[in-house]
Amino acid sequence: MIRVAVVDDEPLVRTGLRVILGSAQDITVVADCAGVGAVEAVREGRVDVLLLDIRMPVVDGPAVLRQVTALPRPPAVAMLTTFDARDHVDEALRLGAAGFLMKNTAPEQLIDAVRALAAGRRVLAPEAVGQVIDGYLLSGRDEDAVRRVRALTDRERQVLALVGAGLSNRAIAGRLHLAHGTVKDYVSAVLAKLGGLNRVQAAVVADRANLVDTGPGRR
């Protein structure tokens, strides 16, 4: 059973997420609260996945994230964001956020995202791609992104372009007519060649190297 905590300053949002996640047989919401008390709730709930609002009064998302990632066995954390929260994205990435989800993410996509996070994968909702790219300043210039991409094969560049577009491994497999396991191997190879980046950082590199618009089906 995947144990989830929801931290958001709006009770209605917390209730909605609890209902959605509670509809999955393999997920249970063990805690929901605002930023104050979030760390204690995560610790006591033995949480696997934390869905954390990026912008909250009193104690905001990055402040909670900083404390949670310092725990002995921290959960995977996905930031819940809106289109006006770009000023917090960079900090959240640097603090170790495992993903970004829009608050209006479809129920089935939210459930799949929680499962992916629990399995150790990173998630980036397609709607959040632009926000992450705009808000996250990867060290180095665009020329550095281009240099990194040159080390990839043509197929790896295609895969990176689709990662940059926010597609999951399964969606990439469908787009490129490849086996899911093959795409997983390609993504692992791409991340390693880019210097051990995570999936979200790789999406930024793809955008900075002008790959995103060249992904199959993007034109």
Side-chain angles (χ1 to χ4, degrees):
M1 185 68 72
I2 301 170
R3 299 170 66 85
V4 179
V6 177
V7 175
D8 193 291
D9 65 305
E10 298 181 28
L12 186 60
V13 172
R14 299 200 303 266
T15 299
L17 292 176
R18 179 182 279 275
V19 170
I20 291 171
L21 295 174
S23 68
Q25 295 183 348
D26 57 338
I27 298 173
T28 180
V29 178
V30 297
D32 70 79
C33 61
V36 177
V39 178
E40 191 61 30
V42 169
R43 184 186 293 112
E44 292 182 355
R46 293 178 288 113
V47 172
D48 301 308
V49 175
L50 171 61
L51 300 182
L52 176 62
D53 189 6
I54 199 169
R55 175 178 287 170
M56 297 181 289
V58 186
V59 181
D60 66 9
V64 173
L65 179 60
R66 185 179 295 106
Q67 297 177 66
V68 166
T69 53
L71 294 175
R73 298 182 63 182
V77 182
M79 309 304 294
L80 297 173
T81 183
T82 57
F83 286 108
D84 62 348
R86 294 179 179 179
D87 51 329
H88 292 301
V89 168
D90 176 48
E91 184 178 10
L93 271 170
R94 295 184 188 282
L95 289 172
F100 289 83
L101 297 169
M102 303 302 293
K103 284 192 175 183
N104 62 353
T105 297
E108 62 275 12
Q109 292 176 343
L110 179 65
I111 290 171
D112 286 344
V114 166
R115 289 170 176 156
L117 290 161
R121 300 194 295 275
R122 296 177 182 269
V123 298
L124 179 60
E127 299 86 352
V129 171
Q131 183 178 153
V132 170
I133 288 171
D134 288 345
Y136 180 51
L137 301 178
L138 188 70
S139 60
R141 302 173 300 171
D142 288 354
E143 290 83 352
D144 179 60
V146 172
R147 177 184 57 78
R148 295 188 189 198
V149 168
R150 286 199 190 103
L152 306 179
T153 65
D154 289 343
R155 178 63 87 182
E156 288 169 344
R157 290 192 192 98
Q158 286 182 315
V159 170
L160 177 59
L162 294 174
V163 168
L167 273 65
S168 66
N169 286 356
R170 193 169 300 282
I172 294 173
R175 186 72 64 86
L176 298 179
H177 307 291
L178 296 172
H180 180 260
T182 300
V183 170
K184 184 177 179 180
D185 290 342
Y186 271 123
V187 171
S188 295
V190 167
L191 298 181
K193 286 185 177 182
L194 291 178
L197 300 184
N198 63 44
R199 194 182 186 96
V200 180
Q201 292 167 331
V204 178
V205 171
D207 182 79
R208 290 195 162 199
N210 295 321
L211 284 185
V212 176
D213 287 340
T214 63
R218 295 283 291 177
R219 289 195 179 278

